[in-house]
């Protein structure tokens, strides 16, 4: 794919890093802030990145919330690599 990636232990480490990205892949549940809390923080920035949220516990309520928040995608674990790549490609083409 040719994309540069960054990996962080948690959302707080990413948020404090100062790294500017076009797309964020985050888990719903992780150490520190949840994926939704990370997304809320990113939404307050001048040019927020597109967010792809992954979770093992997707449900219609979460899907609706992600849609209202403008997430690029909600992916359910275990992740399908083809769906993940397609979601990233779509997100960065915005």
């Amino acid at each position: 794919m040719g994309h540069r990636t960054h990996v962080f232990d948690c959302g707080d480490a990413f948020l404090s890093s100062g790294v500017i990205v076009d797309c964020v892949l985050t888990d719903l549940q992780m150490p520190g802030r949840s994926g939704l809390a990370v997304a809320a923080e990113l939404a307050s920035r001048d040019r927020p990145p597109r967010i792809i949220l992954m979770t093992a516990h997707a449900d219609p309520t979460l899907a609706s919330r992600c849609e209202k928040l403008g997430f690029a995608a909600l992916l359910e674990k275990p992740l399908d690599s083809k769906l993940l790549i397609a979601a990233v490609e779509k997100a960065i083409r915005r």
Side-chain angles (χ1 to χ4, degrees):
M1 288 178 32
H3 301 294
R4 186 177 342 178
T5 60
H6 304 275
V7 178
F8 297 91
D9 293 346
C10 63
D12 289 320
F14 165 64
L15 292 171
S16 66
S17 73
V19 172
I20 297 171
V21 297
D22 295 318
C23 181
V24 171
L25 173 64
T26 186
D27 202 329
L28 177 62
Q29 296 179 359
M30 56 187 174
R33 297 185 207 202
S34 71
L36 292 174
V38 169
E41 172 70 25
L42 291 171
S44 70
R45 296 185 176 181
D46 288 334
R47 187 177 179 270
R50 302 287 289 158
I51 307 290
I52 298 172
L53 184 69
M54 59 183 172
T55 182
H57 308 289
D59 61 43
T61 301
L62 179 60
S64 175
R65 189 168 180 193
C66 289
E67 186 176 336
K68 288 177 185 174
L69 293 170
F71 283 28
L74 172 62
L75 301 177
E76 193 163 10
K77 295 187 225 175
L79 296 177
D80 177 308
S81 60
K82 290 179 184 178
L83 290 176
L84 173 59
I85 291 168
V88 170
E89 290 292 330
K90 182 178 178 183
I92 61 176
R93 282 193 305 253
R94 71 167 170 155

